[in-house]
Amino acid sequence: MRFEPGDAFELQLPSDAFDLVACRHMTQAIPDPERALAELRRICKPGGWLHVLSEDYGMMHTPVGTLNTDRLWQGAIEFAHVTGTDARVGRRTYSPLKALDLTDLRVDYVIVDTVRVPREIFASIIEAWRDGYAGAIGDNTALGRKETRALFDQAIAGIRDPEQYAVWHVPIVSGRKPGRR
């Protein structure tokens, strides 16, 4: 296996070349994910599988305390809209794959929660998001920087609190490219 940087919209790879094509944590960060998915289908062999893990911030649920952390995830969705991306693409990925004539379509979920994942690891993911995105979300939504930071901090504290429960459902949509195997 090797990793190469490239343009998801114009992969420098041959058509019909790979038995398995996986796309993880990308479609929510690019405009026109359908175009990238079509490119991934192009490089997949007939009979091969395409697996797409598309994030969906509407499927993030953190403890509500003095602040309503649902506002944070809605803010992330609004921020994505401002950037021309879709922070709810996870729930939409099935339809573009169906439109690409993939067969055997299925949707499974990675469940990142405070039961299955160590709290500190889950909290550190959200801390990294806070440190990378709180300013941008705050500046580009009605939340503002101060409220965005406070919402992130409350979500992180709730994840760390052993009396609380938090969960993020991450959809994985898979399908087979028609053709011989």
Side-chain angles (χ1 to χ4, degrees):
M1 178 182 299
R2 69 176 195 253
F3 294 93
E4 296 179 21
D7 182 342
F9 300 114
E10 294 182 36
L11 295 170
Q12 299 301 304
L13 298 167
S15 296
D16 303 325
F18 299 96
D19 292 315
L20 172 64
V21 177
C23 175
R24 295 180 46 216
H25 304 284
M26 182 189 73
T27 54
Q28 77 284 350
I30 60 172
D32 198 9
E34 293 82 2
R35 187 171 150 215
L37 295 172
E39 185 66 356
L40 295 173
R41 183 195 187 279
R42 179 188 67 78
I43 67 170
C44 188
K45 283 183 181 177
W49 285 92
L50 177 57
H51 291 272
V52 182
L53 187 153
S54 290
E55 294 180 14
D56 191 318
Y57 298 100
M59 295 181 183
M60 176 75 77
H61 307 283
T62 50
V64 173
T66 56
L67 299 174
N68 180 356
T69 55
D70 293 343
R71 288 177 46 77
L72 173 60
W73 310 117
Q74 188 59 44
I77 291 165
E78 291 172 25
F79 172 69
H81 181 73
V82 169
T83 66
T85 60
D86 184 358
R88 291 184 288 197
V89 71
R91 71 188 69 190
R92 291 189 326 95
T93 302
Y94 180 91
S95 296
L97 292 185
K98 186 170 179 59
L100 291 172
D101 295 323
L102 294 180
T103 62
D104 302 319
L105 282 171
R106 63 180 292 149
V107 179
D108 295 294
Y109 289 86
V110 170
I111 299 173
V112 178
D113 72 356
T114 52
V115 173
R116 293 168 182 84
V117 175
R119 288 177 183 275
E120 194 53 39
I121 290 173
F122 191 0
S124 69
I125 293 168
I126 307 306
E127 280 180 326
W129 292 356
R130 177 199 61 203
D131 296 346
Y133 293 104
I137 292 170
D139 290 346
N140 290 282
T141 69
L143 293 176
R145 282 183 178 237
K146 184 176 178 182
E147 183 178 3
T148 301
R149 176 75 184 211
L151 288 165
F152 266 115
D153 289 343
Q154 182 171 303
I156 293 161
I159 291 167
R160 286 194 170 117
D161 181 348
E163 301 302 318
Q164 301 287 330
Y165 177 77
V167 63
W168 181 23
H169 298 94
V170 185
I172 302 173
V173 186
S174 305
R176 185 184 294 271
K177 184 175 177 178
R180 66 186 187 293
R181 180 86 176 121

